[in-house]
PDB file of all heavy atoms in Angstrom:
ATOM      1  N   GLU Z 271       6.777 -18.976   1.942  1.00 89.00           N
ATOM      2  CA  GLU Z 271       6.748 -17.542   2.205  1.00 89.00           C
ATOM      3  C   GLU Z 271       5.490 -16.879   1.663  1.00 89.00           C
ATOM      4  O   GLU Z 271       5.007 -15.911   2.230  1.00 89.00           O
ATOM      5  CB  GLU Z 271       8.002 -16.890   1.600  1.00 89.00           C
ATOM      6  CG  GLU Z 271       9.308 -17.360   2.224  1.00 89.00           C
ATOM      7  CD  GLU Z 271      10.506 -16.611   1.685  1.00 89.00           C
ATOM      8  OE1 GLU Z 271      10.503 -15.362   1.763  1.00 89.00           O
ATOM      9  OE2 GLU Z 271      11.442 -17.266   1.180  1.00 89.00           O
ATOM     10  N   ASN Z 272       4.944 -17.333   0.559  1.00 89.00           N
ATOM     11  CA  ASN Z 272       3.733 -16.742  -0.010  1.00 89.00           C
ATOM     12  C   ASN Z 272       2.496 -17.486   0.493  1.00 89.00           C
ATOM     13  O   ASN Z 272       1.671 -17.986  -0.278  1.00 89.00           O
ATOM     14  CB  ASN Z 272       3.787 -16.760  -1.534  1.00 89.00           C
ATOM     15  CG  ASN Z 272       3.993 -18.161  -2.073  1.00 89.00           C
ATOM     16  OD1 ASN Z 272       4.426 -19.056  -1.349  1.00 89.00           O
ATOM     17  ND2 ASN Z 272       3.687 -18.357  -3.347  1.00 89.00           N
ATOM     18  N   TYR Z 273       2.367 -17.541   1.824  1.00 90.00           N
ATOM     19  CA  TYR Z 273       1.272 -18.306   2.437  1.00 90.00           C
ATOM     20  C   TYR Z 273      -0.084 -17.667   2.143  1.00 90.00           C
ATOM     21  O   TYR Z 273      -1.105 -18.366   2.032  1.00 90.00           O
ATOM     22  CB  TYR Z 273       1.500 -18.389   3.947  1.00 90.00           C
ATOM     23  CG  TYR Z 273       1.548 -17.054   4.641  1.00 90.00           C
ATOM     24  CD1 TYR Z 273       0.415 -16.498   5.201  1.00 90.00           C
ATOM     25  CD2 TYR Z 273       2.742 -16.341   4.718  1.00 90.00           C
ATOM     26  CE1 TYR Z 273       0.470 -15.264   5.822  1.00 90.00           C
ATOM     27  CE2 TYR Z 273       2.802 -15.122   5.338  1.00 90.00           C
ATOM     28  CZ  TYR Z 273       1.654 -14.573   5.893  1.00 90.00           C
ATOM     29  OH  TYR Z 273       1.701 -13.357   6.506  1.00 90.00           O
ATOM     30  N   ASN Z 274      -0.134 -16.321   2.046  1.00 87.00           N
ATOM     31  CA  ASN Z 274      -1.417 -15.643   1.803  1.00 87.00           C
ATOM     32  C   ASN Z 274      -2.036 -16.069   0.475  1.00 87.00           C
ATOM     33  O   ASN Z 274      -3.235 -16.367   0.394  1.00 87.00           O
ATOM     34  CB  ASN Z 274      -1.214 -14.127   1.820  1.00 87.00           C
ATOM     35  CG  ASN Z 274      -1.145 -13.575   3.231  1.00 87.00           C
ATOM     36  OD1 ASN Z 274      -1.739 -14.145   4.143  1.00 87.00           O
ATOM     37  ND2 ASN Z 274      -0.429 -12.488   3.418  1.00 87.00           N
ATOM     38  N   GLU Z 275      -1.219 -16.084  -0.575  1.00 88.00           N
ATOM     39  CA  GLU Z 275      -1.746 -16.455  -1.899  1.00 88.00           C
ATOM     40  C   GLU Z 275      -2.177 -17.909  -1.958  1.00 88.00           C
ATOM     41  O   GLU Z 275      -3.013 -18.277  -2.785  1.00 88.00           O
ATOM     42  CB  GLU Z 275      -0.691 -16.173  -2.978  1.00 88.00           C
ATOM     43  CG  GLU Z 275      -0.452 -14.696  -3.273  1.00 88.00           C
ATOM     44  CD  GLU Z 275       0.313 -13.985  -2.161  1.00 88.00           C
ATOM     45  OE1 GLU Z 275       0.870 -14.709  -1.299  1.00 88.00           O
ATOM     46  OE2 GLU Z 275       0.363 -12.745  -2.153  1.00 88.00           O
ATOM     47  N   ARG Z 276      -1.609 -18.739  -1.125  1.00 89.00           N
ATOM     48  CA  ARG Z 276      -1.955 -20.160  -1.154  1.00 89.00           C
ATOM     49  C   ARG Z 276      -3.201 -20.485  -0.339  1.00 89.00           C
ATOM     50  O   ARG Z 276      -3.902 -21.450  -0.637  1.00 89.00           O
ATOM     51  CB  ARG Z 276      -0.787 -20.987  -0.622  1.00 89.00           C
ATOM     52  CG  ARG Z 276       0.451 -20.917  -1.488  1.00 89.00           C
ATOM     53  CD  ARG Z 276       1.506 -21.895  -1.021  1.00 89.00           C
ATOM     54  NE  ARG Z 276       2.687 -21.875  -1.878  1.00 89.00           N
ATOM     55  CZ  ARG Z 276       3.705 -22.722  -1.765  1.00 89.00           C
ATOM     56  NH1 ARG Z 276       3.683 -23.646  -0.805  1.00 89.00           N
ATOM     57  NH2 ARG Z 276       4.735 -22.641  -2.577  1.00 89.00           N
ATOM     58  N   VAL Z 277      -3.475 -19.689   0.695  1.00 92.00           N
ATOM     59  CA  VAL Z 277      -4.546 -20.040   1.630  1.00 92.00           C
ATOM     60  C   VAL Z 277      -5.776 -19.157   1.483  1.00 92.00           C
ATOM     61  O   VAL Z 277      -6.906 -19.647   1.348  1.00 92.00           O
ATOM     62  CB  VAL Z 277      -4.024 -19.976   3.086  1.00 92.00           C
ATOM     63  CG1 VAL Z 277      -5.162 -20.189   4.081  1.00 92.00           C
ATOM     64  CG2 VAL Z 277      -2.932 -21.010   3.290  1.00 92.00           C
ATOM     65  N   LEU Z 278      -5.576 -17.832   1.511  1.00 91.00           N
ATOM     66  CA  LEU Z 278      -6.708 -16.908   1.623  1.00 91.00           C
ATOM     67  C   LEU Z 278      -7.725 -17.014   0.484  1.00 91.00           C
ATOM     68  O   LEU Z 278      -8.934 -17.063   0.747  1.00 91.00           O
ATOM     69  CB  LEU Z 278      -6.184 -15.473   1.739  1.00 91.00           C
ATOM     70  CG  LEU Z 278      -5.474 -15.133   3.051  1.00 91.00           C
ATOM     71  CD1 LEU Z 278      -5.020 -13.686   3.054  1.00 91.00           C
ATOM     72  CD2 LEU Z 278      -6.386 -15.398   4.233  1.00 91.00           C
ATOM     73  N   PRO Z 279      -7.319 -17.024  -0.797  1.00 90.00           N
ATOM     74  CA  PRO Z 279      -8.350 -17.073  -1.842  1.00 90.00           C
ATOM     75  C   PRO Z 279      -9.282 -18.269  -1.710  1.00 90.00           C
ATOM     76  O   PRO Z 279     -10.507 -18.134  -1.862  1.00 90.00           O
ATOM     77  CB  PRO Z 279      -7.533 -17.126  -3.135  1.00 90.00           C
ATOM     78  CG  PRO Z 279      -6.228 -16.501  -2.785  1.00 90.00           C
ATOM     79  CD  PRO Z 279      -5.960 -16.900  -1.369  1.00 90.00           C
ATOM     80  N   SER Z 280      -8.756 -19.426  -1.421  1.00 90.00           N
ATOM     81  CA  SER Z 280      -9.600 -20.621  -1.361  1.00 90.00           C
ATOM     82  C   SER Z 280     -10.569 -20.578  -0.188  1.00 90.00           C
ATOM     83  O   SER Z 280     -11.775 -20.832  -0.346  1.00 90.00           O
ATOM     84  CB  SER Z 280      -8.716 -21.873  -1.270  1.00 90.00           C
ATOM     85  OG  SER Z 280      -7.899 -21.822  -0.100  1.00 90.00           O
ATOM     86  N   ILE Z 281     -10.078 -20.236   1.008  1.00 93.00           N
ATOM     87  CA  ILE Z 281     -10.979 -20.250   2.170  1.00 93.00           C
ATOM     88  C   ILE Z 281     -11.979 -19.095   2.112  1.00 93.00           C
ATOM     89  O   ILE Z 281     -13.115 -19.236   2.581  1.00 93.00           O
ATOM     90  CB  ILE Z 281     -10.194 -20.238   3.491  1.00 93.00           C
ATOM     91  CG1 ILE Z 281      -9.406 -18.936   3.658  1.00 93.00           C
ATOM     92  CG2 ILE Z 281      -9.263 -21.425   3.575  1.00 93.00           C
ATOM     93  CD1 ILE Z 281      -8.721 -18.810   5.005  1.00 93.00           C
ATOM     94  N   ILE Z 282     -11.601 -17.954   1.526  1.00 92.00           N
ATOM     95  CA  ILE Z 282     -12.534 -16.831   1.428  1.00 92.00           C
ATOM     96  C   ILE Z 282     -13.652 -17.153   0.449  1.00 92.00           C
ATOM     97  O   ILE Z 282     -14.835 -16.938   0.740  1.00 92.00           O
ATOM     98  CB  ILE Z 282     -11.783 -15.545   1.014  1.00 92.00           C
ATOM     99  CG1 ILE Z 282     -10.908 -15.054   2.168  1.00 92.00           C
ATOM    100  CG2 ILE Z 282     -12.768 -14.457   0.619  1.00 92.00           C
ATOM    101  CD1 ILE Z 282     -10.077 -13.830   1.829  1.00 92.00           C
ATOM    102  N   HIS Z 283     -13.328 -17.681  -0.724  1.00 92.00           N
ATOM    103  CA  HIS Z 283     -14.366 -18.027  -1.703  1.00 92.00           C
ATOM    104  C   HIS Z 283     -15.307 -19.089  -1.135  1.00 92.00           C
ATOM    105  O   HIS Z 283     -16.540 -18.983  -1.283  1.00 92.00           O
ATOM    106  CB  HIS Z 283     -13.715 -18.529  -2.994  1.00 92.00           C
ATOM    107  CG  HIS Z 283     -13.112 -17.441  -3.824  1.00 92.00           C
ATOM    108  ND1 HIS Z 283     -13.859 -16.468  -4.446  1.00 92.00           N
ATOM    109  CD2 HIS Z 283     -11.812 -17.161  -4.128  1.00 92.00           C
ATOM    110  CE1 HIS Z 283     -13.062 -15.648  -5.101  1.00 92.00           C
ATOM    111  NE2 HIS Z 283     -11.805 -16.047  -4.924  1.00 92.00           N
ATOM    112  N   GLU Z 284     -14.764 -20.087  -0.502  1.00 92.00           N
ATOM    113  CA  GLU Z 284     -15.609 -21.154   0.057  1.00 92.00           C
ATOM    114  C   GLU Z 284     -16.514 -20.613   1.152  1.00 92.00           C
ATOM    115  O   GLU Z 284     -17.701 -20.963   1.228  1.00 92.00           O
ATOM    116  CB  GLU Z 284     -14.718 -22.266   0.599  1.00 92.00           C
ATOM    117  CG  GLU Z 284     -15.502 -23.464   1.133  1.00 92.00           C
ATOM    118  CD  GLU Z 284     -14.579 -24.546   1.654  1.00 92.00           C
ATOM    119  OE1 GLU Z 284     -13.355 -24.417   1.508  1.00 92.00           O
ATOM    120  OE2 GLU Z 284     -15.111 -25.525   2.223  1.00 92.00           O
ATOM    121  N   THR Z 285     -15.983 -19.743   2.017  1.00 93.00           N
ATOM    122  CA  THR Z 285     -16.789 -19.188   3.106  1.00 93.00           C
ATOM    123  C   THR Z 285     -17.895 -18.295   2.575  1.00 93.00           C
ATOM    124  O   THR Z 285     -19.042 -18.355   3.040  1.00 93.00           O
ATOM    125  CB  THR Z 285     -15.890 -18.403   4.070  1.00 93.00           C
ATOM    126  OG1 THR Z 285     -14.878 -19.264   4.591  1.00 93.00           O
ATOM    127  CG2 THR Z 285     -16.696 -17.831   5.217  1.00 93.00           C
ATOM    128  N   LEU Z 286     -17.578 -17.457   1.601  1.00 92.00           N
ATOM    129  CA  LEU Z 286     -18.594 -16.569   1.037  1.00 92.00           C
ATOM    130  C   LEU Z 286     -19.730 -17.356   0.398  1.00 92.00           C
ATOM    131  O   LEU Z 286     -20.906 -17.033   0.589  1.00 92.00           O
ATOM    132  CB  LEU Z 286     -17.954 -15.632   0.009  1.00 92.00           C
ATOM    133  CG  LEU Z 286     -17.059 -14.512   0.562  1.00 92.00           C
ATOM    134  CD1 LEU Z 286     -16.451 -13.713  -0.580  1.00 92.00           C
ATOM    135  CD2 LEU Z 286     -17.848 -13.608   1.475  1.00 92.00           C
ATOM    136  N   LYS Z 287     -19.405 -18.373  -0.348  1.00 91.00           N
ATOM    137  CA  LYS Z 287     -20.451 -19.171  -0.991  1.00 91.00           C
ATOM    138  C   LYS Z 287     -21.324 -19.876   0.049  1.00 91.00           C
ATOM    139  O   LYS Z 287     -22.552 -19.978  -0.116  1.00 91.00           O
ATOM    140  CB  LYS Z 287     -19.814 -20.185  -1.940  1.00 91.00           C
ATOM    141  CG  LYS Z 287     -19.131 -19.567  -3.153  1.00 91.00           C
ATOM    142  CD  LYS Z 287     -18.545 -20.618  -4.067  1.00 91.00           C
ATOM    143  CE  LYS Z 287     -17.804 -19.984  -5.239  1.00 91.00           C
ATOM    144  NZ  LYS Z 287     -18.687 -19.169  -6.082  1.00 91.00           N
ATOM    145  N   ALA Z 288     -20.703 -20.365   1.120  1.00 92.00           N
ATOM    146  CA  ALA Z 288     -21.465 -21.078   2.149  1.00 92.00           C
ATOM    147  C   ALA Z 288     -22.395 -20.138   2.905  1.00 92.00           C
ATOM    148  O   ALA Z 288     -23.544 -20.491   3.226  1.00 92.00           O
ATOM    149  CB  ALA Z 288     -20.513 -21.770   3.120  1.00 92.00           C
ATOM    150  N   VAL Z 289     -21.928 -18.924   3.207  1.00 93.00           N
ATOM    151  CA  VAL Z 289     -22.740 -17.985   3.986  1.00 93.00           C
ATOM    152  C   VAL Z 289     -23.838 -17.359   3.132  1.00 93.00           C
ATOM    153  O   VAL Z 289     -24.993 -17.257   3.558  1.00 93.00           O
ATOM    154  CB  VAL Z 289     -21.841 -16.897   4.608  1.00 93.00           C
ATOM    155  CG1 VAL Z 289     -22.692 -15.831   5.293  1.00 93.00           C
ATOM    156  CG2 VAL Z 289     -20.887 -17.522   5.614  1.00 93.00           C
ATOM    157  N   VAL Z 290     -23.497 -16.938   1.919  1.00 92.00           N
ATOM    158  CA  VAL Z 290     -24.486 -16.284   1.056  1.00 92.00           C
ATOM    159  C   VAL Z 290     -25.634 -17.235   0.721  1.00 92.00           C
ATOM    160  O   VAL Z 290     -26.791 -16.816   0.605  1.00 92.00           O
ATOM    161  CB  VAL Z 290     -23.802 -15.770  -0.230  1.00 92.00           C
ATOM    162  CG1 VAL Z 290     -24.835 -15.290  -1.243  1.00 92.00           C
ATOM    163  CG2 VAL Z 290     -22.848 -14.642   0.115  1.00 92.00           C
ATOM    164  N   ALA Z 291     -25.349 -18.506   0.601  1.00 92.00           N
ATOM    165  CA  ALA Z 291     -26.401 -19.481   0.263  1.00 92.00           C
ATOM    166  C   ALA Z 291     -27.447 -19.616   1.373  1.00 92.00           C
ATOM    167  O   ALA Z 291     -28.519 -20.166   1.131  1.00 92.00           O
ATOM    168  CB  ALA Z 291     -25.768 -20.844  -0.016  1.00 92.00           C
ATOM    169  N   GLN Z 292     -27.178 -19.104   2.568  1.00 92.00           N
ATOM    170  CA  GLN Z 292     -28.123 -19.213   3.676  1.00 92.00           C
ATOM    171  C   GLN Z 292     -29.113 -18.052   3.726  1.00 92.00           C
ATOM    172  O   GLN Z 292     -30.054 -18.081   4.509  1.00 92.00           O
ATOM    173  CB  GLN Z 292     -27.361 -19.268   5.003  1.00 92.00           C
ATOM    174  CG  GLN Z 292     -26.406 -20.449   5.118  1.00 92.00           C
ATOM    175  CD  GLN Z 292     -25.607 -20.414   6.400  1.00 92.00           C
ATOM    176  OE1 GLN Z 292     -25.869 -19.621   7.296  1.00 92.00           O
ATOM    177  NE2 GLN Z 292     -24.611 -21.292   6.503  1.00 92.00           N
ATOM    178  N   TYR Z 293     -28.925 -17.018   2.902  1.00 93.00           N
ATOM    179  CA  TYR Z 293     -29.756 -15.820   2.953  1.00 93.00           C
ATOM    180  C   TYR Z 293     -30.396 -15.559   1.595  1.00 93.00           C
ATOM    181  O   TYR Z 293     -29.832 -15.899   0.553  1.00 93.00           O
ATOM    182  CB  TYR Z 293     -28.919 -14.596   3.341  1.00 93.00           C
ATOM    183  CG  TYR Z 293     -28.366 -14.646   4.747  1.00 93.00           C
ATOM    184  CD1 TYR Z 293     -27.142 -15.253   5.021  1.00 93.00           C
ATOM    185  CD2 TYR Z 293     -29.067 -14.082   5.809  1.00 93.00           C
ATOM    186  CE1 TYR Z 293     -26.621 -15.295   6.304  1.00 93.00           C
ATOM    187  CE2 TYR Z 293     -28.553 -14.117   7.097  1.00 93.00           C
ATOM    188  CZ  TYR Z 293     -27.339 -14.725   7.339  1.00 93.00           C
ATOM    189  OH  TYR Z 293     -26.829 -14.767   8.614  1.00 93.00           O
ATOM    190  N   ASN Z 294     -31.592 -14.929   1.651  1.00 90.00           N
ATOM    191  CA  ASN Z 294     -32.193 -14.412   0.431  1.00 90.00           C
ATOM    192  C   ASN Z 294     -31.477 -13.130   0.021  1.00 90.00           C
ATOM    193  O   ASN Z 294     -30.762 -12.517   0.817  1.00 90.00           O
ATOM    194  CB  ASN Z 294     -33.681 -14.129   0.632  1.00 90.00           C
ATOM    195  CG  ASN Z 294     -34.467 -15.406   0.857  1.00 90.00           C
ATOM    196  OD1 ASN Z 294     -34.096 -16.464   0.362  1.00 90.00           O
ATOM    197  ND2 ASN Z 294     -35.542 -15.313   1.621  1.00 90.00           N
ATOM    198  N   ALA Z 295     -31.708 -12.725  -1.221  1.00 86.00           N
ATOM    199  CA  ALA Z 295     -31.037 -11.515  -1.712  1.00 86.00           C
ATOM    200  C   ALA Z 295     -31.440 -10.290  -0.897  1.00 86.00           C
ATOM    201  O   ALA Z 295     -30.606  -9.441  -0.582  1.00 86.00           O
ATOM    202  CB  ALA Z 295     -31.371 -11.308  -3.192  1.00 86.00           C
ATOM    203  N   SER Z 296     -32.722 -10.198  -0.543  1.00 85.00           N
ATOM    204  CA  SER Z 296     -33.167  -9.051   0.256  1.00 85.00           C
ATOM    205  C   SER Z 296     -32.578  -9.087   1.660  1.00 85.00           C
ATOM    206  O   SER Z 296     -32.261  -8.035   2.237  1.00 85.00           O
ATOM    207  CB  SER Z 296     -34.695  -9.031   0.331  1.00 85.00           C
ATOM    208  OG  SER Z 296     -35.178 -10.247   0.906  1.00 85.00           O
ATOM    209  N   GLN Z 297     -32.391 -10.276   2.227  1.00 89.00           N
ATOM    210  CA  GLN Z 297     -31.813 -10.384   3.559  1.00 89.00           C
ATOM    211  C   GLN Z 297     -30.338  -9.977   3.570  1.00 89.00           C
ATOM    212  O   GLN Z 297     -29.833  -9.487   4.586  1.00 89.00           O
ATOM    213  CB  GLN Z 297     -31.955 -11.814   4.078  1.00 89.00           C
ATOM    214  CG  GLN Z 297     -33.394 -12.222   4.364  1.00 89.00           C
ATOM    215  CD  GLN Z 297     -33.498 -13.681   4.779  1.00 89.00           C
ATOM    216  OE1 GLN Z 297     -32.617 -14.491   4.473  1.00 89.00           O
ATOM    217  NE2 GLN Z 297     -34.576 -14.011   5.467  1.00 89.00           N
ATOM    218  N   LEU Z 298     -29.650 -10.181   2.469  1.00 89.00           N
ATOM    219  CA  LEU Z 298     -28.251  -9.753   2.395  1.00 89.00           C
ATOM    220  C   LEU Z 298     -28.132  -8.239   2.537  1.00 89.00           C
ATOM    221  O   LEU Z 298     -27.107  -7.727   3.000  1.00 89.00           O
ATOM    222  CB  LEU Z 298     -27.632 -10.193   1.072  1.00 89.00           C
ATOM    223  CG  LEU Z 298     -27.452 -11.703   0.889  1.00 89.00           C
ATOM    224  CD1 LEU Z 298     -26.955 -12.009  -0.512  1.00 89.00           C
ATOM    225  CD2 LEU Z 298     -26.489 -12.275   1.919  1.00 89.00           C
ATOM    226  N   ILE Z 299     -29.195  -7.515   2.156  1.00 86.00           N
ATOM    227  CA  ILE Z 299     -29.183  -6.056   2.288  1.00 86.00           C
ATOM    228  C   ILE Z 299     -29.622  -5.638   3.683  1.00 86.00           C
ATOM    229  O   ILE Z 299     -28.966  -4.830   4.340  1.00 86.00           O
ATOM    230  CB  ILE Z 299     -30.094  -5.420   1.215  1.00 86.00           C
ATOM    231  CG1 ILE Z 299     -29.592  -5.800  -0.189  1.00 86.00           C
ATOM    232  CG2 ILE Z 299     -30.145  -3.912   1.371  1.00 86.00           C
ATOM    233  CD1 ILE Z 299     -30.498  -5.319  -1.297  1.00 86.00           C
ATOM    234  N   THR Z 300     -30.734  -6.197   4.144  1.00 88.00           N
ATOM    235  CA  THR Z 300     -31.280  -5.777   5.440  1.00 88.00           C
ATOM    236  C   THR Z 300     -30.496  -6.337   6.620  1.00 88.00           C
ATOM    237  O   THR Z 300     -30.490  -5.729   7.694  1.00 88.00           O
ATOM    238  CB  THR Z 300     -32.747  -6.221   5.543  1.00 88.00           C
ATOM    239  OG1 THR Z 300     -32.830  -7.659   5.387  1.00 88.00           O
ATOM    240  CG2 THR Z 300     -33.582  -5.574   4.447  1.00 88.00           C
ATOM    241  N   GLN Z 301     -29.833  -7.478   6.444  1.00 91.00           N
ATOM    242  CA  GLN Z 301     -29.078  -8.102   7.540  1.00 91.00           C
ATOM    243  C   GLN Z 301     -27.578  -8.142   7.212  1.00 91.00           C
ATOM    244  O   GLN Z 301     -26.895  -9.113   7.503  1.00 91.00           O
ATOM    245  CB  GLN Z 301     -29.599  -9.520   7.795  1.00 91.00           C
ATOM    246  CG  GLN Z 301     -31.075  -9.573   8.128  1.00 91.00           C
ATOM    247  CD  GLN Z 301     -31.557 -10.981   8.380  1.00 91.00           C
ATOM    248  OE1 GLN Z 301     -30.781 -11.886   8.687  1.00 91.00           O
ATOM    249  NE2 GLN Z 301     -32.854 -11.187   8.242  1.00 91.00           N
ATOM    250  N   ARG Z 302     -27.101  -7.072   6.645  1.00 89.00           N
ATOM    251  CA  ARG Z 302     -25.697  -7.032   6.203  1.00 89.00           C
ATOM    252  C   ARG Z 302     -24.734  -7.200   7.380  1.00 89.00           C
ATOM    253  O   ARG Z 302     -23.709  -7.870   7.256  1.00 89.00           O
ATOM    254  CB  ARG Z 302     -25.445  -5.714   5.488  1.00 89.00           C
ATOM    255  CG  ARG Z 302     -24.033  -5.573   4.943  1.00 89.00           C
ATOM    256  CD  ARG Z 302     -23.943  -4.407   3.991  1.00 89.00           C
ATOM    257  NE  ARG Z 302     -22.599  -4.224   3.466  1.00 89.00           N
ATOM    258  CZ  ARG Z 302     -22.306  -3.431   2.444  1.00 89.00           C
ATOM    259  NH1 ARG Z 302     -23.270  -2.754   1.847  1.00 89.00           N
ATOM    260  NH2 ARG Z 302     -21.064  -3.311   2.021  1.00 89.00           N
TER     261      ARG Z 302
END
């Protein structure tokens, strides 16, 4: 029943780290 707590945190953290690593800090602002 608590599927959100089991799935979302892990896939969101992994996705954010994978995407952010592809951009420079300035690009994260200009290409938000």
Side-chain angles (χ1 to χ4, degrees):
E271 296 185 55
N272 57 341
Y273 60 93
N274 280 331
E275 288 73 14
R276 295 188 178 187
V277 174
L278 290 181
S280 60
I281 65 174
I282 289 177
H283 285 293
E284 183 180 354
T285 301
L286 288 177
K287 293 181 183 298
V289 174
V290 171
Q292 300 176 10
Y293 294 88
N294 293 331
S296 59
Q297 292 176 338
L298 292 175
I299 300 175
T300 58
Q301 302 180 21
R302 182 167 179 168

